Amino acid sequence: MIVLGIESSAHTFGVGIVTESEENFILADERIQYIPERGGIHPRESSRFLAEKAPMIIEKAFEKASLRLDNINAIAVALGPGLGPCLRVGATVARALASFLKKPLVPVNHAVAHVEIGLRMTNLRDPVIVYLSGGNTAVIAYVEKRYRVFGETLDIALGNLLDTFARETSLGPPYVVNGMHVVDRCAEGGRKFIEDFPYVVKGQDVAFSGLLTTALRAYRRGEDIHNICLTLREIAYNSVLEVAARCLMHTRKKEVMLVGGVAASPILREKFAKMVEEYSATLGVVPPQYAVDNGVMIAWTGLLAYKSGVTIDLKSAFVRQRWRIDEVEIPWR
Ligand code: FE2
């Protein structure tokens, strides 16, 4: 079985083609990323970029896989969550392909796809999943046919916190240099913690917008930027760590998986490595190339879903900007 997957939920247009084969299951992995000249991602501008690049990326993927269009068994597409205009680019392309090739269309939840490609890459079986990216911060665990959320951010995502702080203080973009976030790097020069920064964990949820405001205020009143970065990242990372540790204890799982763009942080990884040791658990980290948005994760999840009989009618294949991970039935586990 061969499945093509399309990702376009924010800044990346990705096309992946995968098979069931144990090794070399990736036949193609093509992607292109929209990088705004300044500021954050503007959905409409990003979607225009994605739409412009889509045909080229699809063509490249078929070339790379040495396949003809009709060799594909199904088309999978990320229908949410994400930015509406961006999601619609992928959905339109996928519907057109499915209709033209007369192949089934498989709806994929972007967050589920991050988890599934993570499991495929780390060989973990049933971990507590810590999903950290520019748009998401959640601690998730599989319980009774669903990936359930055991804690999440009440306002902005961890990646958004780091990127926004970097942008406002001219540390970035680029936000990640040589595999390390610029805030992480700047924090290395920090010597002391600043007292009044808020550490917010409410029940199992975290919140970062107060922390961002406080950090920016400290920057404007002339506090040392290294000390600000150190305080900011320690508070942010430790609050996620606390929630994840409680989930591990509560679910009695024996594995933790870090996934999403922020999972690449070596500092965060070190903190988690120490934590899992205390609980005699194992840590798995998704390789950076597959921790960020890509088409392979959509294709792989699409393949799992399609094998379990999940397809969607072209007429009902609309995007869902706020499609939560815990709304998705997982029949393949
Ligand atoms: Fe993502």
Side-chain angles (χ1 to χ4, degrees):
M1 179 179 300
I2 300 176
V3 175
L4 176 141
I6 296 177
E7 156 63 27
S8 77
S9 65
H11 47 50
T12 300
F13 192 87
V15 175
I17 304 180
V18 303
T19 68
E20 284 171 284
S21 141
E22 278 295 311
E23 288 144 36
N24 301 332
F25 75 109
I26 302 172
L27 301 181
D29 173 11
E30 294 298 325
R31 36 178 124 170
I32 194 162
Q33 196 185 333
Y34 166 72
I35 301 165
E37 273 166 36
R38 76 176 82 98
I41 299 177
H42 190 290
R44 217 169 335 115
E45 266 151 40
S46 178
S47 72
R48 213 172 291 150
F49 173 88
L50 302 180
E52 197 185 293
K53 303 293 180 191
M56 174 190 73
I57 298 296
I58 290 177
E59 213 170 295
K60 269 190 172 173
F62 276 100
E63 254 169 49
K64 191 56 80 56
S66 313
L67 288 173
R68 289 197 323 270
L69 286 170
D70 56 358
N71 293 138
I72 301 289
N73 295 94
I75 312 281
V77 60
L79 288 182
L83 306 170
C86 302
L87 285 167
R88 278 191 281 278
V89 174
T92 308
V93 172
R95 280 192 303 254
L97 270 179
S99 141
F100 177 69
L101 298 173
K102 299 193 171 52
K103 302 287 181 189
L105 187 63
V106 184
V108 170
N109 177 289
H110 177 91
V112 171
H114 270 299
V115 172
E116 291 299 344
I117 196 66
L119 295 176
R120 180 71 177 73
M121 293 282 171
T122 58
N123 286 321
L124 295 178
R125 299 188 60 83
D126 185 20
V128 165
I129 300 140
V130 183
Y131 174 25
L132 305 171
S133 69
N136 294 278
T137 299
V139 174
I140 298 158
Y142 178 82
V143 181
E144 290 174 4
K145 292 284 161 213
R146 283 190 192 211
Y147 290 114
R148 315 225 175 226
V149 178
F150 278 76
E152 61 194 323
T153 179
L154 296 170
D155 43 48
I156 58 172
L158 179 54
N160 191 354
L161 164 72
L162 300 177
D163 292 357
T164 308
F165 181 78
R167 194 166 62 235
E168 296 289 316
T169 55
S170 303
L171 286 172
Y175 302 116
V176 178
V177 179
N178 296 330
M180 202 169 183
H181 199 283
V182 288
V183 170
D184 268 350
R185 197 173 293 279
C186 176
E188 298 300 288
R191 290 291 165 262
K192 74 174 180 67
F193 289 102
I194 304 168
E195 292 273 313
D196 60 346
F197 279 36
Y199 179 104
V200 182
V201 176
K202 291 180 183 166
Q204 272 290 90
D205 293 327
V206 293
F208 297 128
S209 69
L211 181 59
L212 176 62
T213 313
T214 310
L216 287 174
R217 214 177 282 145
Y219 174 74
R220 282 174 198 133
R221 71 166 182 256
E223 286 277 0
D224 179 75
I225 182 93
H226 301 287
N227 290 341
I228 300 175
C229 285
L230 178 67
T231 314
L232 177 81
R233 90 147 185 227
E234 286 300 307
I235 289 183
Y237 291 179
N238 288 349
S239 57
V240 175
L241 195 74
E242 179 192 326
V243 172
R246 234 179 350 251
C247 177
L248 194 63
M249 231 164 16
H250 180 80
T251 59
R252 298 181 177 217
K253 294 193 192 283
K254 283 288 160 210
E255 298 167 331
V256 175
M257 178 169 84
L258 292 180
V259 67
V262 184
S265 161
I267 310 294
L268 188 79
R269 212 178 308 172
E270 215 174 282
K271 282 180 180 292
F272 270 88
K274 250 183 234 154
M275 186 270 277
V276 296
E277 214 181 279
E278 270 172 50
Y279 292 92
S280 312
T282 337
L283 178 67
V285 184
V286 182
Q289 200 188 352
Y290 293 100
V292 295
D293 293 352
N294 63 85
V296 170
M297 68 182 196
I298 307 301
W300 173 245
T301 310
L303 188 144
L304 296 173
Y306 183 56
K307 276 172 59 187
S308 302
V310 179
T311 58
I312 192 166
D313 200 34
L314 291 188
K315 282 190 226 93
S316 5
F318 295 119
V319 306
R320 294 173 65 186
Q321 294 189 61
R322 295 182 194 286
W323 191 13
R324 285 178 61 89
I325 192 170
D326 48 13
E327 290 172 44
V328 185
E329 281 280 339
I330 310 292
W332 56 86
R333 288 193 59 140

